[in-house]
Amino acid sequence: MAGSLEDYKNLLAKAEKIITTHKYEWQKSGKYFNVFSTLGVEWKEVYHTAFLKELLAPNGQHGLGDNFLKEFLKRIDFNKSPLENIIVKKEENIGKNGRLDISISFICNDKRYKVVIENKIREVDHEGQLRKYLNYLRTENFDDYRLVYLTLNGDDPIDEICDEDKKYFLTMSYRSDIISLLEKVINIGNMPPYAIEAAIRQYILSLKILTNQGVDKNMEEEIENLLLEGNNIEFVQELNGRIVPLKKKVLFQFISLLKSEFEKNGRSVSITYNNKKMEIEATVTNYITKSESWLQFTFPVKDFVFYVTFNPEGWHWEEVKKDNDEKKSKEKTEEFRQTRGTEFKNFVINFKQFDDGAKQFASMPEDEQRKYISDYVEDIKSKLKKLDF
């Protein structure tokens, strides 16, 4: 039975009071302080790669020895012992096949083994990227190897992995795999030293925030108890049924305003969905419900084309391309990225999970939404101007 509007308001008011009270207590105690967020690096893939590489290296300055490495290898069912001549690298250059985010090479009983981690925080893999890595691992004649595709939530890659390679490939997530490994390793005996333990706990907190996990167990328990009262579970089920339509509505506002901003001054803009041009309404419907969907805005800049691409989670990246000239495209894209200096205006909005960015955008009046998007587009234009576009 549907509740009255007053019932819903009372439930939301009680939940808000619990959340506000606990957030205040956490802020007062300093538990919400997070060095990664404070430095603005929690979304930068290169810092996650560097942090994990350091923990995996047995001779790192963390005092963990090879404990984290061994737990990681157990997690991917790649148990080898004893490990000898361990080499852990970041951004290993493998020639025409690219660079490996993290590589772990070692010898066991005179046999050569290698584990490669492809780390993705915002972006997704490029077409053919993982196949190149698997080809490299196959042709180097290792006795055994693994390619690990690590993402926030354990997503599948864009690249299609052939049956022959599937036994060497696996996905992992920060949400469950990395967090549980970190929690396990800081509870091994007297490991690690206090300073390292504090840093790892900060990192765990950062990962939980990135993956939209609750960090206050007491608050979660109070909320659960509230939902068990009376007919509150029925009310919550009804409210939950409005989540997907709400996401679609907010995403439609976002797409419409972004398209309008790009088209100012008569600039032609195309919207591409999974390589097929579709109406905005169709894009909105499918973008939310299909995990493999992505959205791309393109517009011409002189004899080049500028791309803004949003992956399924809402993260974005930019490219400058020139038709039929791959070398020039790479040069211009690299030149464009170098002009950035720092990241673009904070434009990371996850409409699929409806993160803080999406909530903030949804709560803005329309004039503030327009200003938010306008600032982002102006930022792009200023970078392009430096390239004499």
Side-chain angles (χ1 to χ4, degrees):
M1 176 184 290
S4 68
L5 180 60
E6 199 61 35
D7 291 330
Y8 289 115
K9 285 182 177 179
N10 288 336
L11 174 61
L12 293 174
K14 289 178 181 178
E16 182 184 21
K17 184 176 180 181
I18 292 172
I19 294 169
T20 302
T21 300
H22 279 272
K23 279 191 173 182
Y24 174 75
E25 292 299 323
W26 266 61
Q27 287 171 341
K28 192 168 65 171
S29 67
K31 290 181 180 179
Y32 269 131
F33 176 78
N34 183 272
V35 66
F36 298 95
S37 300
T38 302
L39 296 175
V41 301
E42 71 269 43
W43 285 110
K44 295 186 179 181
E45 191 175 284
V46 63
Y47 289 96
H48 290 271
T49 298
F51 196 80
L52 286 180
K53 180 265 176 186
E54 174 65 15
L55 292 180
L56 288 164
N59 60 348
Q61 301 300 308
H62 43 65
L64 297 171
D66 61 2
N67 281 286
F68 187 73
L69 173 61
K70 285 181 175 178
E71 291 298 331
F72 176 82
L73 294 177
K74 284 181 189 176
R75 181 61 61 106
I76 65 172
D77 196 23
F78 203 69
N79 289 321
K80 311 291 177 185
S81 183
L83 304 180
E84 300 173 2
N85 295 352
I86 304 167
I87 300 174
V88 182
K89 291 184 179 180
K90 176 171 67 76
E91 297 292 333
E92 181 183 355
N93 189 334
I94 54 172
K96 64 180 182 180
N97 290 310
R99 292 178 180 272
L100 309 175
D101 286 343
I102 300 174
S103 64
I104 308 165
S105 307
F106 58 90
I107 294 173
C108 177
N109 296 323
D110 297 323
K111 293 184 177 181
R112 297 167 62 239
Y113 298 94
K114 188 145 188 163
V115 175
V116 171
I117 303 172
E118 176 59 19
N119 187 27
K120 296 295 183 187
I121 298 297
R122 287 187 181 181
E123 299 187 6
V124 294
D125 55 297
H126 307 299
E127 188 174 352
Q129 182 180 16
L130 300 180
R131 292 197 295 273
K132 284 183 179 180
Y133 296 162
L134 285 163
N135 180 62
Y136 155 78
L137 290 166
R138 190 186 311 113
T139 56
E140 286 294 308
N141 296 317
F142 294 103
D143 290 283
D144 201 359
Y145 56 86
R146 292 290 184 276
L147 174 58
V148 178
Y149 186 64
L150 175 60
T151 61
L152 286 178
N153 298 298
D155 299 327
D156 291 326
I158 287 177
D159 248 355
E160 188 172 340
I161 309 300
C162 68
D163 291 339
E164 178 187 358
D165 285 329
K166 282 182 179 177
K167 64 180 179 180
Y168 302 106
F169 176 82
L170 68 155
T171 61
M172 289 184 72
S173 73
Y174 280 96
R175 168 181 285 274
S176 58
D177 295 303
I178 298 301
I179 287 177
S180 65
L181 284 173
L182 292 168
E183 289 177 336
K184 186 172 184 178
V185 81
I186 60 177
N187 289 307
I188 296 176
N190 294 320
M191 293 263 199
Y194 173 76
I196 305 301
E197 179 184 348
I200 292 176
R201 290 193 183 280
Q202 286 271 294
Y203 187 57
I204 291 172
L205 175 61
S206 180
L207 292 180
K208 286 187 174 181
I209 293 170
L210 288 183
T211 53
N212 294 307
Q213 297 185 65
V215 295
D216 187 337
K217 299 300 180 185
N218 292 330
M219 181 180 75
E220 289 178 354
E221 186 174 350
E222 282 194 50
I223 291 290
E224 288 169 359
N225 290 337
L226 170 64
L227 299 184
L228 290 173
E229 293 177 5
N231 295 324
N232 285 350
I233 289 181
E234 289 185 32
F235 298 159
V236 172
Q237 286 177 320
E238 290 176 14
L239 289 171
N240 190 53
R242 301 307 308 158
I243 292 296
V244 171
L246 178 64
K247 289 178 179 179
K248 290 178 181 178
K249 183 175 182 178
V250 176
L251 179 59
F252 181 77
Q253 290 174 318
F254 172 83
I255 292 172
S256 300
L257 291 173
L258 186 58
K259 184 175 187 293
S260 174
E261 188 65 32
F262 277 138
E263 289 182 335
K264 279 184 178 178
N265 305 318
R267 184 181 293 282
S268 174
V269 175
S270 66
I271 300 177
T272 308
Y273 159 77
N274 277 6
N275 289 325
K276 295 179 181 178
K277 290 188 177 180
M278 303 179 70
E279 296 297 323
I280 294 179
E281 289 80 4
T283 303
V284 173
T285 301
N286 291 293
Y287 185 65
I288 288 292
T289 57
K290 290 187 177 180
S291 62
E292 73 275 12
S293 305
W294 52 264
L295 184 69
Q296 186 177 79
F297 288 83
T298 64
F299 57 84
V301 186
K302 290 192 176 177
D303 56 342
F304 286 82
V305 176
F306 185 77
Y307 293 79
V308 181
T309 307
F310 296 84
N311 82 352
E313 303 297 331
W315 323 133
H316 82 289
W317 63 96
E318 306 88 3
E319 295 178 278
V320 182
K321 291 184 179 178
K322 182 176 176 64
D323 291 341
N324 303 318
D325 194 336
E326 186 176 349
K327 183 179 178 183
K328 271 288 185 188
S329 296
K330 287 182 178 179
E331 288 175 357
K332 276 295 182 184
T333 296
E334 184 60 30
E335 190 179 350
F336 171 75
R337 287 173 177 164
Q338 288 177 1
T339 66
R340 294 165 66 169
T342 58
E343 288 294 319
F344 274 104
K345 173 183 172 64
N346 183 16
F347 206 71
V348 179
I349 300 181
N350 187 327
F351 290 102
K352 188 176 180 183
Q353 295 180 358
F354 221 61
D355 69 356
D356 288 343
K359 294 170 192 169
Q360 180 185 5
F361 182 82
S363 64
M364 291 178 184
E366 187 175 321
D367 58 338
E368 289 185 24
Q369 289 179 341
R370 289 183 182 278
K371 175 70 165 54
Y372 180 82
I373 289 175
S374 177
D375 287 347
Y376 167 68
V377 174
E378 285 302 314
D379 200 10
I380 290 177
K381 288 179 181 177
S382 70
K383 301 299 187 295
L384 293 173
K385 191 174 182 180
K386 290 181 181 179
L387 298 179
D388 193 29
F389 276 151

